[in-house]
Coordinates of all heavy atoms in Angstrom, one line a residue:
V136 N 43.7 13.6 2.7 CA 44.5 14.2 3.8 C 45.0 15.6 3.3 O 45.8 15.5 2.4 CB 45.7 13.3 4.2 CG1 46.6 13.9 5.3 CG2 45.2 11.7 4.6
I137 N 44.4 16.5 3.9 CA 44.8 18.0 3.4 C 46.0 18.6 4.2 O 46.5 19.6 3.8 CB 43.6 18.9 3.4 CG1 43.0 19.0 4.9 CG2 42.5 18.4 2.5 CD1 41.8 19.9 5.0
A138 N 46.2 18.1 5.4 CA 47.4 18.6 6.2 C 48.0 17.3 7.0 O 47.4 17.0 8.1 CB 47.0 19.6 7.1
S139 N 49.0 16.7 6.5 CA 49.7 15.7 7.2 C 50.6 16.0 8.3 O 51.3 17.2 8.2 CB 50.4 14.8 6.2 OG 51.0 13.7 6.8
T140 N 50.6 15.3 9.4 CA 51.6 15.6 10.4 C 52.9 15.4 10.1 O 53.9 15.8 10.7 CB 51.2 14.8 11.6 OG1 51.3 13.3 11.3 CG2 49.8 15.1 12.3
E141 N 53.2 14.7 9.0 CA 54.5 14.3 8.4 C 55.1 15.5 7.7 O 56.3 15.7 7.6 CB 54.5 13.0 7.7 CG 54.2 11.8 8.5 CD 54.1 10.5 7.6 OE1 54.2 10.7 6.5 OE2 53.8 9.5 8.4
N142 N 54.2 16.1 6.8 CA 54.6 17.2 6.0 C 54.5 18.6 6.3 O 54.7 19.5 5.6 CB 54.1 17.0 4.5 CG 54.3 15.5 4.1 OD1 55.3 15.0 4.2 ND2 53.2 14.9 3.4
T143 N 53.9 18.8 7.5 CA 53.6 20.2 8.1 C 54.2 20.2 9.5 O 54.6 19.3 10.1 CB 52.0 20.3 7.9 OG1 51.5 19.6 9.0 CG2 51.5 20.3 6.6
D144 N 54.1 21.5 10.0 CA 54.5 21.7 11.4 C 53.4 21.3 12.4 O 53.5 21.3 13.6 CB 54.7 23.2 11.6 CG 55.9 23.6 10.8 OD1 56.7 22.9 10.5 OD2 55.9 24.9 10.4
L145 N 52.2 20.8 11.9 CA 51.1 20.3 12.8 C 51.5 18.9 13.4 O 51.7 18.0 12.7 CB 49.8 20.0 12.0 CG 49.0 21.3 11.7 CD1 49.7 22.2 10.8 CD2 47.6 21.0 11.0
N146 N 51.7 18.9 14.7 CA 51.9 17.7 15.3 C 50.6 17.0 15.8 O 49.8 17.0 14.8 CB 52.8 18.0 16.6 CG 54.1 18.3 16.3 OD1 54.7 18.1 15.3 ND2 54.8 19.2 17.2
D147 N 50.5 16.6 16.9 CA 49.1 15.8 17.2 C 48.0 16.7 17.1 O 47.9 17.8 17.7 CB 49.3 15.2 18.7 CG 50.3 14.1 18.6 OD1 50.4 13.6 17.7 OD2 50.7 13.8 19.8
V148 N 47.0 16.4 16.2 CA 45.9 17.3 15.9 C 44.7 16.9 17.0 O 44.3 15.7 16.8 CB 45.4 17.2 14.4 CG1 44.2 18.0 14.3 CG2 46.6 17.6 13.6
Y149 N 44.2 17.8 17.6 CA 43.2 17.3 18.6 C 41.8 17.9 18.3 O 40.8 17.5 18.7 CB 43.6 17.9 20.0 CG 44.6 17.1 20.7 CD1 46.0 17.4 20.7 CD2 44.3 15.8 21.4 CE1 46.9 16.7 21.3 CE2 45.2 15.2 22.0 CZ 46.6 15.4 21.9 OH 47.5 14.7 22.6
S150 N 41.7 19.1 17.6 CA 40.6 19.8 17.4 C 40.5 20.5 16.1 O 41.5 21.1 15.7 CB 40.2 20.7 18.6 OG 38.9 21.2 18.5
V151 N 39.4 20.6 15.4 CA 39.2 21.3 14.2 C 37.8 22.2 14.3 O 36.9 21.6 14.8 CB 39.2 20.6 12.9 CG1 40.6 20.0 12.5 CG2 38.2 19.4 13.0
K152 N 37.9 23.4 13.8 CA 36.6 24.1 14.0 C 36.6 25.2 12.8 O 37.7 25.8 12.6 CB 36.6 24.9 15.3 CG 35.3 25.6 15.6 CD 34.1 24.6 15.7 CE 34.4 23.6 16.8 NZ 33.3 22.8 17.1
V153 N 35.5 25.3 12.2 CA 35.2 26.3 11.1 C 34.8 27.5 11.7 O 33.7 27.5 12.4 CB 34.3 25.7 10.0 CG1 34.1 26.8 9.0 CG2 34.9 24.5 9.3
F154 N 35.5 28.6 11.4 CA 35.2 29.9 12.1 C 35.5 31.0 11.2 O 36.6 31.1 10.7 CB 35.9 30.0 13.5 CG 35.6 31.4 14.1 CD1 34.4 31.5 14.8 CD2 36.5 32.3 14.3 CE1 34.0 32.7 15.4 CE2 36.3 33.4 14.8 CZ 35.0 33.7 15.6
A155 N 34.5 31.9 10.8 CA 34.7 33.1 10.1 C 35.3 32.7 8.6 O 36.3 33.2 8.2 CB 35.5 34.1 10.9
N156 N 34.8 31.6 8.0 CA 35.3 31.1 6.8 C 36.8 30.6 6.8 O 37.3 30.7 5.7 CB 35.1 32.2 5.7 CG 34.9 31.6 4.2 OD1 34.5 30.5 4.2 ND2 35.5 32.3 3.3
K157 N 37.2 30.3 7.9 CA 38.5 29.8 8.0 C 38.4 28.5 9.0 O 37.5 28.4 9.6 CB 39.5 30.9 8.7 CG 39.7 32.0 7.8 CD 40.8 32.8 8.3 CE 41.1 34.1 7.4 NZ 42.1 34.9 8.0
L158 N 39.4 27.6 8.8 CA 39.5 26.4 9.5 C 40.6 26.7 10.7 O 41.9 27.1 10.4 CB 40.0 25.4 8.6 CG 40.2 23.9 9.4 CD1 38.8 23.6 10.0 CD2 40.5 22.9 8.4
M159 N 40.1 26.6 11.8 CA 41.1 26.5 12.9 C 41.4 25.2 13.5 O 40.5 24.4 13.7 CB 40.4 27.3 14.0 CG 41.4 27.5 15.3 SD 40.6 28.6 16.5 CE 40.8 30.1 15.8
V160 N 42.7 24.9 13.6 CA 43.2 23.6 14.0 C 44.0 23.6 15.3 O 45.0 24.4 15.4 CB 44.2 23.0 12.8 CG1 44.7 21.6 13.3 CG2 43.4 22.9 11.5
G161 N 43.5 23.0 16.3 CA 44.2 22.9 17.6 C 45.0 21.6 17.6 O 44.6 20.6 17.5
T162 N 46.4 21.9 18.0 CA 47.4 20.8 18.0 C 48.0 20.9 19.4 O 47.9 21.7 20.2 CB 48.4 20.9 16.8 OG1 49.2 22.2 17.2 CG2 47.7 21.2 15.6
S163 N 49.0 19.9 19.5 CA 49.8 19.8 20.8 C 50.8 20.9 20.7 O 51.6 21.2 21.7 CB 50.4 18.5 20.9 OG 51.3 18.3 19.7
N164 N 51.1 21.6 19.6 CA 52.1 22.6 19.6 C 51.5 23.9 19.1 O 52.1 24.6 18.3 CB 53.3 22.3 18.7 CG 52.8 22.0 17.2 OD1 51.7 21.6 17.1 ND2 53.8 22.1 16.3
G165 N 50.2 24.2 19.4 CA 49.7 25.5 19.1 C 48.3 25.5 18.2 O 47.8 24.3 17.9
I166 N 48.0 26.6 17.9 CA 46.8 26.8 17.1 C 47.2 27.3 15.6 O 47.9 28.4 15.6 CB 45.8 27.6 17.8 CG1 45.3 27.2 19.1 CG2 44.5 27.8 16.9 CD1 44.6 28.1 19.9
Y167 N 46.5 26.7 14.7 CA 46.8 27.0 13.3 C 45.4 27.5 12.6 O 44.4 26.9 12.9 CB 47.5 25.7 12.5 CG 48.8 25.4 13.0 CD1 49.0 24.7 14.2 CD2 50.1 25.9 12.3 CE1 50.3 24.4 14.5 CE2 51.3 25.7 12.8 CZ 51.5 24.8 13.9 OH 52.7 24.6 14.4
L168 N 45.7 28.5 11.7 CA 44.6 28.9 10.9 C 44.8 28.8 9.5 O 45.8 29.2 8.9 CB 44.3 30.3 11.3 CG 42.9 31.1 11.2 CD1 41.9 30.2 12.0 CD2 43.0 32.4 11.5
S169 N 43.9 28.2 8.7 CA 43.9 28.2 7.2 C 43.7 29.6 6.7 O 42.9 30.5 7.1 CB 43.0 27.3 6.7 OG 41.6 27.7 6.8
N170 N 44.4 30.0 5.6 CA 44.3 31.2 4.9 C 43.0 31.2 4.0 O 42.4 32.2 3.8 CB 45.4 31.5 4.1 CG 46.7 31.7 5.0 OD1 46.5 32.3 6.0 ND2 47.8 31.4 4.4
N171 N 42.6 29.9 3.5 CA 41.5 29.9 2.5 C 40.9 28.6 2.8 O 41.2 27.4 2.7 CB 42.0 29.9 1.0 CG 40.8 30.1 0.1 OD1 39.7 29.6 0.4 ND2 41.2 30.7 -1.0
L172 N 39.5 28.7 3.2 CA 38.7 27.4 3.5 C 38.4 26.6 2.2 O 38.2 25.4 2.4 CB 37.4 27.8 4.3 CG 36.6 26.8 4.8 CD1 37.3 26.0 5.8 CD2 35.5 27.3 5.5
D173 N 38.4 27.3 1.1 CA 38.1 26.5 -0.1 C 39.3 25.5 -0.5 O 39.1 24.5 -1.0 CB 37.9 27.4 -1.3 CG 36.7 28.2 -1.0 OD1 35.7 27.6 -0.3 OD2 36.5 29.4 -1.5
T174 N 40.7 26.0 -0.2 CA 41.7 25.3 -0.7 C 42.4 24.4 0.3 O 42.8 23.3 0.2 CB 42.8 26.1 -1.3 OG1 43.1 27.0 -0.4 CG2 42.2 26.7 -2.6
L175 N 42.4 25.0 1.5 CA 43.0 24.2 2.8 C 44.4 23.8 2.5 O 44.7 22.8 2.9 CB 42.0 23.2 3.2 CG 40.7 23.7 3.7 CD1 39.8 22.4 4.1 CD2 40.7 24.5 4.9
D176 N 45.1 24.6 1.8 CA 46.5 24.1 1.5 C 47.7 24.7 2.1 O 48.6 24.3 2.3 CB 46.7 24.3 -0.1 CG 46.5 25.7 -0.4 OD1 46.0 26.5 0.5 OD2 46.8 26.0 -1.6
E177 N 47.2 25.8 2.9 CA 48.2 26.5 3.9 C 47.7 26.9 5.1 O 46.5 27.3 5.3 CB 48.8 27.8 3.0 CG 49.5 27.6 1.8 CD 50.0 28.9 1.1 OE1 49.8 29.9 1.8 OE2 50.4 28.9 0.1
F178 N 48.5 26.6 6.3 CA 48.1 26.8 7.5 C 49.3 27.9 8.2 O 50.4 27.6 8.0 CB 47.9 25.6 8.5 CG 46.7 24.8 8.0 CD1 46.8 23.9 6.9 CD2 45.6 25.1 8.6 CE1 45.8 23.1 6.7 CE2 44.5 24.3 8.3 CZ 44.4 23.3 7.4
S179 N 48.8 28.8 8.9 CA 49.7 29.6 9.6 C 49.4 29.5 11.0 O 48.2 29.5 11.6 CB 49.6 31.1 9.1 OG 48.3 31.5 9.2
M180 N 50.4 29.6 11.9 CA 50.1 29.5 13.4 C 49.7 30.9 14.0 O 50.1 31.9 13.5 CB 51.5 29.2 14.2 CG 51.3 29.2 15.8 SD 52.9 28.7 16.6 CE 52.9 27.0 16.2
V181 N 48.7 30.8 14.9 CA 48.2 32.0 15.6 C 49.1 32.4 16.6 O 49.7 31.7 17.3 CB 46.9 31.7 16.2 CG1 46.3 32.8 16.9 CG2 45.8 31.1 15.2
E182 N 49.5 33.7 16.4 CA 50.5 34.4 17.2 C 50.1 34.1 18.7 O 48.9 34.4 19.2 CB 50.6 35.7 17.0 CG 51.6 36.6 17.7 CD 51.8 38.0 17.4 OE1 51.1 38.3 16.4 OE2 52.7 38.6 17.9
G183 N 51.1 33.7 19.6 CA 50.9 33.6 21.0 C 50.5 32.2 21.4 O 50.3 32.0 22.6
T184 N 50.4 31.3 20.5 CA 49.8 30.0 20.8 C 50.8 28.8 20.7 O 50.4 27.6 20.9 CB 48.6 29.6 19.8 OG1 49.1 29.4 18.5 CG2 47.6 30.7 20.0
K185 N 52.1 29.1 20.5 CA 53.0 28.1 20.2 C 53.2 27.1 21.3 O 53.4 25.8 21.3 CB 54.5 28.7 19.9 CG 55.6 27.7 19.5 CD 56.9 28.3 19.1 CE 57.8 27.4 18.7 NZ 59.1 28.0 18.3
E186 N 53.0 27.7 22.5 CA 53.3 26.6 23.7 C 51.9 26.2 24.2 O 52.0 25.5 25.3 CB 53.9 27.6 24.9 CG 55.2 28.3 24.5 CD 56.2 27.2 24.1 OE1 56.2 26.1 24.8 OE2 57.1 27.3 23.4
V187 N 50.9 26.5 23.6 CA 49.5 25.9 24.1 C 49.3 24.5 23.5 O 49.4 24.2 22.3 CB 48.5 26.8 23.5 CG1 47.1 26.3 24.0 CG2 48.6 28.3 24.1
N188 N 49.1 23.5 24.4 CA 48.8 22.2 24.1 C 47.3 22.1 24.1 O 46.6 22.0 25.1 CB 49.4 21.2 25.1 CG 49.2 19.8 24.6 OD1 48.5 19.6 23.6 ND2 49.9 18.9 25.4
V189 N 46.6 22.1 22.9 CA 45.2 22.3 22.8 C 44.5 21.0 23.1 O 44.8 19.8 22.5 CB 44.8 22.9 21.4 CG1 43.4 22.9 21.3 CG2 45.5 24.2 21.2
L190 N 43.5 21.1 23.9 CA 42.6 19.9 24.2 C 41.4 20.1 23.2 O 41.0 19.0 22.6 CB 42.2 19.9 25.7 CG 41.0 19.1 26.0 CD1 41.5 17.6 25.8 CD2 40.4 19.2 27.3
E191 N 40.8 21.2 23.2 CA 39.5 21.3 22.4 C 39.3 22.8 22.0 O 39.6 23.7 22.7 CB 38.4 20.9 23.3 CG 37.0 20.7 22.4 CD 36.0 20.1 23.3 OE1 36.2 19.6 24.4 OE2 34.8 19.9 22.8
V192 N 38.7 23.0 20.8 CA 38.2 24.3 20.3 C 36.7 24.3 20.2 O 36.2 23.5 19.5 CB 39.1 24.5 19.0 CG1 38.6 25.9 18.4 CG2 40.4 24.6 19.0
I193 N 36.3 25.3 20.7 CA 34.7 25.3 20.7 C 34.3 26.7 20.2 O 34.8 27.8 20.8 CB 34.2 25.0 22.1 CG1 34.6 23.7 22.6 CG2 32.7 25.3 22.3 CD1 34.1 23.1 23.8
S194 N 33.3 26.8 19.5 CA 32.7 28.0 19.0 C 31.6 28.4 20.0 O 30.8 27.6 20.5 CB 32.0 27.9 17.7 OG 32.9 27.7 16.7
S195 N 31.7 29.7 20.4 CA 30.8 30.3 21.4 C 30.4 31.7 21.0 O 31.2 32.5 21.1 CB 31.4 30.1 22.8 OG 30.4 30.8 23.8
K196 N 29.2 31.8 20.8 CA 28.7 33.1 20.2 C 29.5 33.6 19.1 O 29.9 33.1 18.0 CB 28.7 34.1 21.4 CG 27.5 33.7 22.4 CD 27.4 34.6 23.6 CE 26.3 34.1 24.5 NZ 26.3 35.1 25.7
S197 N 30.2 34.8 19.3 CA 31.2 35.4 18.3 C 32.6 35.2 18.5 O 33.4 35.8 17.8 CB 30.9 37.0 18.3 OG 31.3 37.5 19.6
E198 N 33.0 34.3 19.3 CA 34.5 34.0 19.6 C 34.5 32.4 19.6 O 33.7 31.6 19.7 CB 34.7 34.5 21.0 CG 33.9 34.1 22.1 CD 34.3 34.7 23.5 OE1 35.0 35.7 23.4 OE2 34.0 34.1 24.6
V199 N 35.9 32.1 19.7 CA 36.2 30.7 19.8 C 37.0 30.5 21.1 O 37.8 31.4 21.4 CB 37.3 30.5 18.6 CG1 37.7 28.9 18.8 CG2 36.4 30.6 17.3
V200 N 36.5 29.6 21.7 CA 37.1 29.3 23.0 C 37.9 28.0 22.9 O 37.6 27.1 22.4 CB 36.0 28.9 24.1 CG1 36.7 28.6 25.5 CG2 35.1 30.1 24.3
I201 N 39.2 28.1 23.5 CA 40.2 27.1 23.4 C 40.6 26.6 24.8 O 40.9 27.4 25.7 CB 41.5 27.6 22.7 CG1 41.2 28.2 21.3 CG2 42.6 26.5 22.6 CD1 41.1 29.5 21.1
F202 N 40.5 25.3 25.0 CA 40.9 24.7 26.3 C 42.2 24.1 26.1 O 42.3 23.1 25.3 CB 39.7 23.7 26.7 CG 38.5 24.3 27.1 CD1 37.4 24.5 26.2 CD2 38.3 24.9 28.4 CE1 36.2 25.1 26.6 CE2 37.1 25.6 28.8 CZ 36.0 25.6 27.8
P203 N 43.1 24.2 27.0 CA 44.4 23.6 27.0 C 44.3 22.4 27.8 O 43.4 22.1 28.7 CB 45.4 24.5 27.7 CG 44.5 25.4 28.6 CD 43.1 25.4 27.9
K204 N 45.2 21.4 27.5 CA 45.3 20.2 28.2 C 46.0 20.4 29.5 O 46.9 21.2 29.6 CB 46.0 19.0 27.3 CG 45.4 18.6 26.1 CD 46.0 17.5 25.3 CE 46.0 16.2 26.2 NZ 46.5 15.1 25.4
L205 N 45.6 19.6 30.5 CA 46.3 19.3 31.8 C 46.5 20.7 32.4 O 47.4 21.0 33.3 CB 47.8 18.8 31.6 CG 47.7 17.4 30.9 CD1 49.1 16.9 30.7 CD2 46.8 16.5 31.6
E206 N 45.7 21.8 32.3 CA 45.8 23.0 33.0 C 44.4 23.6 33.0 O 43.5 23.5 32.0 CB 46.8 24.0 32.4 CG 46.6 24.5 30.9 CD 47.5 25.5 30.6 OE1 47.5 26.6 31.1 OE2 48.5 25.2 29.9
L207 N 44.1 24.3 34.1 CA 42.8 25.0 34.3 C 42.8 26.4 33.5 O 43.8 26.9 33.4 CB 42.6 25.1 35.8 CG 41.1 25.3 36.2 CD1 40.3 24.0 35.9 CD2 41.0 25.5 37.7
G208 N 41.7 26.8 33.0 CA 41.6 27.9 32.4 C 41.3 27.7 30.9 O 41.3 26.7 30.3
A209 N 41.0 28.8 30.2 CA 40.6 28.8 28.8 C 41.1 30.0 28.1 O 41.4 31.1 28.7 CB 39.3 28.6 28.6
Y210 N 41.2 29.9 26.7 CA 41.7 31.1 25.9 C 40.5 31.4 25.0 O 39.7 30.6 24.7 CB 42.9 30.7 25.2 CG 44.1 30.4 26.1 CD1 44.3 29.1 26.4 CD2 45.0 31.5 26.4 CE1 45.4 28.7 27.2 CE2 46.1 31.1 27.2 CZ 46.4 29.8 27.6 OH 47.5 29.4 28.3
K211 N 40.6 32.5 24.6 CA 39.5 33.0 23.3 C 40.3 33.7 22.3 O 41.3 34.3 22.4 CB 38.5 34.0 24.1 CG 39.1 35.4 24.6 CD 38.1 36.3 25.1 CE 38.6 37.5 25.5 NZ 37.5 38.4 26.1
F212 N 39.6 33.4 21.2 CA 40.1 33.9 19.9 C 39.0 34.9 19.2 O 37.9 34.1 18.9 CB 40.5 32.9 19.1 CG 41.1 33.4 17.6 CD1 42.4 33.8 17.6 CD2 40.4 33.5 16.6 CE1 43.0 34.3 16.3 CE2 40.8 33.9 15.2 CZ 42.1 34.3 15.2
I213 N 39.2 36.0 19.1 CA 38.1 36.9 18.7 C 38.7 38.2 17.9 O 39.8 38.7 18.3 CB 37.3 37.6 19.9 CG1 36.2 38.3 19.3 CG2 38.1 38.3 20.9 CD1 35.1 38.8 20.3
S214 N 38.4 38.3 16.6 CA 38.8 39.3 15.8 C 40.2 39.4 15.5 O 40.9 40.2 15.4 CB 38.4 40.8 16.4 OG 37.0 40.9 16.5
G215 N 40.7 38.0 15.5 CA 42.2 37.8 15.2 C 43.0 37.9 16.3 O 44.3 37.8 16.1
N216 N 42.5 38.1 17.7 CA 43.3 38.3 18.7 C 43.1 37.0 19.6 O 42.0 36.7 19.8 CB 42.9 39.6 19.5 CG 43.2 40.8 18.7 OD1 44.3 40.9 18.1 ND2 42.2 41.8 18.6

Side-chain angles (χ1 to χ4, degrees):
V136 179
I137 57 177
S139 172
T140 56
E141 297 177 357
N142 302 325
T143 66
D144 294 332
L145 280 65
N146 290 335
D147 292 337
V148 179
Y149 284 98
S150 186
V151 288
K152 187 65 63 179
V153 174
F154 179 75
N156 203 29
K157 293 186 178 182
L158 178 65
M159 181 173 286
V160 181
T162 72
S163 60
N164 63 332
I166 300 173
Y167 292 82
L168 202 62
S169 70
N170 295 324
N171 191 329
L172 188 59
D173 295 331
T174 58
L175 296 179
D176 54 354
E177 294 183 5
F178 290 88
S179 59
M180 179 180 287
V181 176
E182 185 178 354
T184 65
K185 185 175 182 181
E186 302 301 325
V187 179
N188 187 355
V189 177
L190 170 68
E191 191 170 1
V192 178
I193 296 177
S194 296
S195 177
K196 297 183 178 179
S197 60
E198 62 185 13
V199 175
V200 178
I201 300 103
F202 292 97
K204 293 184 67 176
L205 303 177
E206 64 175 285
L207 206 59
Y210 300 90
K211 64 181 179 180
F212 181 83
I213 182 171
S214 301
N216 297 318

